[in-house]
Amino acid sequence: MKLKLTLLSLFIVTLCHAQVKQVKIDRVNQMADLPRPLQIIDWKAMALNFDRTIYDFNAKGKYWPMVWMDSTGKNFKQPVMGMYTAVGDVRQGSQHNKGMFHEALANMGAVLGATLVGLDKSNQQGLNYVGMLKNYFNKDTGWDIMMNNTAPEVALLGGGYGRDWWYDVYPNVLFYAIYDQYPSAPDFEMMARSIAEKFYQADSILNGNYNYSYFDYGKMKPMTTQICAQPDAAAGHAYVLYAAYKRFGDPRYLKGAISAMKALESQKINPTYELLMPFGAYLAARMNAEQGTAFDIQKMLNWTFDGTAVCREGWGFLVGNWNGFDISGTVGCTVDHGGYAFLMNTFDAAWPLVPLVRYQPQYANAIGKWMLNAVNASRFFYPQYMPKEHQTLPDLAAVTKGVIAYEGFAKASTFDTLYQSLKAPVAQGDGPKWMPGQNPEVSQFSVYGSGHAGIFGGIVKETVVKGILGLDLLATDFYRQSAYPTWLFYNPYPTSKTIGFKVPATGKSDVYDLVSQRFMARNVQVVTKLRIPAMQSVVLVCIPAGKKIRVKNKQLSVGGIVVDYNYVQNRYIKK
């Protein structure tokens, strides 16, 4: 959205008391009000630089290039680009394992991230990176869903393959996001329908019981292995099925999404395993708003944040200040060596949790505060932003070319004998553990996690006030109904602050706030100055001026488009 500035502006003061009472998330309350040291890097620029640097088949330097072409033609008779999971990973590249070992989490995450910052990955320098993703659709095996590898020949090399449920489910969540952005991509409709059918059938077979290690989508039966049960896979099933319902209109998919959500909600203990629980919280909010369900959003948010997971012990959102570094808001294991945060998990949590606020604005403060902490702390994954004395490989950082981060950071080195003198936070990665004695030290640098930077890049914008972020609530709200541009601004300061809010330069706009449930301004052109109360939020919707307003079934619509899903009649709305 291209915007331009003008000297003309309208000064607006928000109400001191919000109409929508804010709901707290206990874990977020433990995070810093204003994280320090505070520095918000340009995540869009980071994502664009990653794309420009990584997608270079002629890149020079030791361990480069990071991409190659796999011509084995699994599932579809076409070449597919392979991308390293980690720098120097000895399992990968054109010379190892027939060039077949590469992961959908890397390839699909990089395509989605680049797309969210404005790149067309279906036609980039003559190559269709979107179309290449078809090879992860495992039709040769009869599973007929997206998987993390293209074939079982490389399954046991790592990255999960029919053993670890989230690895089977999450590529389909990623695929549906990409399909939303590229709805005309050849064969994508066929693949999307196949995935939806498989997930619907699986949910019917599971019949409310997701307490399994994984599901065999070829034999269509749940499986139990040495890996503990992952009932939060229900969140992934529900996300895909609801997206399929919105895309195709088949009521069976809505039925399946509701069934999977009920299975998730029925869990007696925190079922969080890896990446899927935030999608359950998002769906609870969205389906409650759109479908009139009554899922327990707070329960699922607490499961997401708290770090009380049992199977994946301690998995959740980290909090704390480690030797002067606020690391709160990052995602990973809260108990491993005092806490171990991961880059990809942190990026990907923003995808569902930020648009949740559109449907349930009572969480605006909590999500706004969490995102400020997460966005600030995530720069510490990158060697150029973490002080050298807190890195395992500061002298080898040049290999990252400024676009590849460490896989994570921990309170103490997770290597038994290495890097033990480093003080928290310790930027590191697990790559050398994947292939002991073979993977080089630099495999601690995570290509696959870094490719997801575009999720932050597509959502996060800075304002003129350091620490007040503009969060685009539409950027990752895939398969949504028609919506007007919607932004969340949270003020973390103990005093009110004034920002300049840019409205689309396409004529006059009315600006509605979902938190105060009132129109903040009418007939605004381009820039509005906005005062945000201390430690409060505004969620601003930019609506073309002069549209007809209608309130029905507690939904406020303007020009036939729902603006507020939970509108309470008040004196501020005038037709």
Side-chain angles (χ1 to χ4, degrees):
M1 181 173 61
K2 294 183 179 179
L3 305 175
K4 61 183 180 179
L5 296 176
T6 179
L7 294 177
L8 296 176
S9 64
L10 176 66
F11 187 79
I12 301 173
V13 180
T14 67
L15 289 182
C16 294
H17 300 288
Q19 179 86 2
V20 176
K21 184 178 180 180
Q22 293 297 290
V23 178
K24 296 180 179 179
I25 298 173
D26 289 342
R27 192 72 169 171
V28 176
N29 288 348
Q30 300 172 41
M31 299 178 187
D33 291 330
L34 194 65
R36 301 182 188 280
L38 179 61
Q39 181 184 355
I40 306 300
I41 68 172
D42 187 336
W43 289 103
K44 181 177 181 180
M46 178 65 77
L48 291 170
N49 288 337
F50 176 90
D51 187 87
R52 185 181 304 113
T53 306
I54 296 295
Y55 285 85
D56 181 356
F57 292 91
N58 300 308
K60 305 300 182 183
K62 191 175 182 181
Y63 302 111
W64 289 79
M66 292 291 164
V67 292
W68 70 95
M69 294 305 296
D70 169 5
S71 299
T72 56
K74 296 295 181 180
N75 303 304
F76 289 88
K77 299 303 179 183
Q78 63 170 17
V80 58
M81 187 200 75
M83 179 182 293
Y84 275 86
T85 297
V87 175
D89 193 323
V90 298
R91 304 169 296 177
Q92 299 180 304
S94 60
Q95 304 304 312
H96 302 102
N97 297 301
K98 301 179 183 179
M100 289 171 53
F101 184 59
H102 42 85
E103 298 190 56
L105 294 189
N107 216 334
M108 296 174 74
V111 166
L112 178 61
T115 302
L116 291 174
V117 293
L119 298 178
D120 181 359
K121 296 297 287 184
S122 68
N123 184 12
Q124 191 176 43
Q125 296 178 337
L127 292 175
N128 183 353
Y129 295 107
V130 175
M132 291 182 193
L133 299 177
K134 294 193 302 184
N135 292 64
Y136 294 109
F137 181 77
N138 276 230
K139 63 186 179 74
D140 291 350
T141 65
W143 279 45
D144 293 324
I145 64 171
M146 301 297 284
M147 297 186 74
N148 197 40
N149 305 120
T150 61
E153 290 95 310
V154 292
L156 297 181
L157 293 176
Y161 198 96
R163 301 171 294 106
D164 205 345
W165 204 351
W166 84 271
Y167 267 119
D168 294 335
V169 171
Y170 197 56
N172 297 281
V173 175
L174 280 165
F175 168 77
Y176 256 87
I178 293 167
Y179 181 38
D180 176 83
Q181 301 292 291
Y182 299 94
S184 301
D187 296 314
F188 270 33
E189 180 176 338
M190 175 275 293
M191 293 157 58
R193 287 184 180 274
S194 173
I195 293 163
E197 286 296 317
K198 287 283 187 173
F199 279 21
Y200 175 73
Q201 293 168 25
D203 178 78
S204 299
I205 291 166
L206 290 162
N207 193 27
N209 179 15
Y210 274 74
N211 293 305
Y212 294 95
S213 302
Y214 75 99
F215 192 90
D216 187 320
Y217 296 90
K219 298 177 181 178
M220 294 307 292
K221 60 184 295 187
M223 307 294 286
T224 299
T225 68
Q226 77 282 2
I227 296 177
C228 60
Q230 299 179 31
D232 66 338
H237 271 183
Y239 184 87
V240 166
L241 287 168
Y242 195 65
Y245 167 68
K246 301 298 284 188
R247 177 67 176 86
F248 301 118
D250 190 328
R252 293 180 305 133
Y253 300 152
L254 175 60
K255 177 183 175 183
I258 292 173
S259 170
M261 285 294 290
K262 287 181 177 178
L264 180 67
E265 188 179 48
S266 71
Q267 294 297 309
K268 303 302 181 185
I269 59 175
N270 187 344
T272 294
Y273 189 81
E274 180 83 18
L275 278 171
L276 297 172
M277 186 54 70
F279 292 90
Y282 161 77
L283 281 175
R286 180 170 175 181
M287 293 173 72
N288 286 359
E290 291 186 339
Q291 304 300 330
T293 53
F295 293 116
D296 191 338
I297 305 168
Q298 189 73 26
K299 181 180 185 179
M300 295 186 193
L301 283 171
N302 288 340
W303 279 344
T304 295
F305 279 87
D306 280 354
T308 56
V310 177
C311 167
R312 198 70 177 275
E313 184 186 3
W315 207 262
F317 288 48
L318 278 66
V319 297
N321 182 289
W322 297 346
N323 295 314
F325 296 86
D326 278 313
I327 55 80
S328 293
T330 54
V331 182
C333 183
T334 62
V335 297
D336 185 4
H337 291 76
Y340 191 179
F342 295 94
L343 176 67
M344 186 182 77
N345 298 70
T346 306
F347 284 152
D348 288 19
W351 160 4
L353 292 178
V354 170
L356 177 153
V357 176
R358 274 196 70 217
Y359 303 100
Q360 302 292 341
Q362 61 264 42
Y363 292 103
N365 287 357
I367 297 301
K369 180 179 178 178
W370 161 63
M371 274 295 285
L372 172 60
N373 276 272
V375 169
N376 181 68
S378 290
R379 77 181 188 278
F380 296 133
F381 292 106
Y382 290 82
Q384 64 268 40
Y385 295 110
M386 179 69 92
K388 290 185 177 181
E389 60 271 21
H390 292 278
Q391 301 181 46
T392 56
L393 305 175
D395 296 332
L396 299 178
V399 75
T400 70
K401 297 188 178 183
V403 299
I404 303 174
Y406 285 96
E407 184 184 10
F409 59 67
K411 195 168 187 179
S413 168
T414 68
F415 292 87
D416 292 337
T417 59
L418 301 175
Y419 320 115
Q420 295 301 307
S421 64
L422 296 179
K423 304 297 184 184
V426 178
Q428 61 155 82
D430 289 338
K433 298 179 183 180
W434 300 337
M435 298 292 290
Q438 298 183 58
N439 261 0
E441 285 185 299
V442 291
S443 62
Q444 295 182 61
F445 294 119
S446 172
V447 184
Y448 81 110
S450 303
H452 295 230
I455 294 175
F456 274 11
I459 292 173
V460 180
K461 304 291 186 295
E462 280 199 276
T463 69
V464 294
V465 180
K466 186 176 181 180
I468 297 183
L469 305 179
L471 304 177
D472 185 348
L473 302 193
L474 301 188
T476 55
D477 190 16
F478 303 119
Y479 301 96
R480 65 177 180 269
Q481 298 172 188
S482 296
Y484 299 116
T486 307
W487 292 81
L488 164 62
F489 298 90
Y490 172 69
N491 174 15
Y493 292 93
T495 58
S496 64
K497 296 290 181 178
T498 299
I499 63 169
F501 177 60
K502 306 173 188 177
V503 300
T506 54
K508 295 181 179 180
S509 295
D510 295 337
V511 180
Y512 179 82
D513 175 27
L514 287 173
V515 176
S516 63
Q517 295 194 311
R518 66 187 287 251
F519 279 94
M520 307 299 295
R522 300 276 194 176
N523 298 313
V524 178
Q525 282 189 293
V526 188
V527 177
T528 294
K529 287 186 178 179
L530 175 72
R531 182 178 296 162
I532 308 174
M535 305 182 79
Q536 296 295 322
S537 299
V538 291
V539 179
L540 303 182
V541 186
C542 294
I543 304 165
K547 297 286 185 179
K548 184 178 180 180
I549 297 170
R550 183 185 184 191
V551 178
K552 183 180 181 181
N553 298 327
K554 295 185 178 180
Q555 292 188 353
L556 172 70
S557 298
V558 184
I561 294 175
V562 178
V563 171
D564 191 334
Y565 287 91
N566 304 278
Y567 178 67
V568 178
Q569 187 74 40
N570 66 33
R571 62 187 175 86
Y572 296 110
I573 299 296
K574 294 181 179 179
K575 296 184 179 181

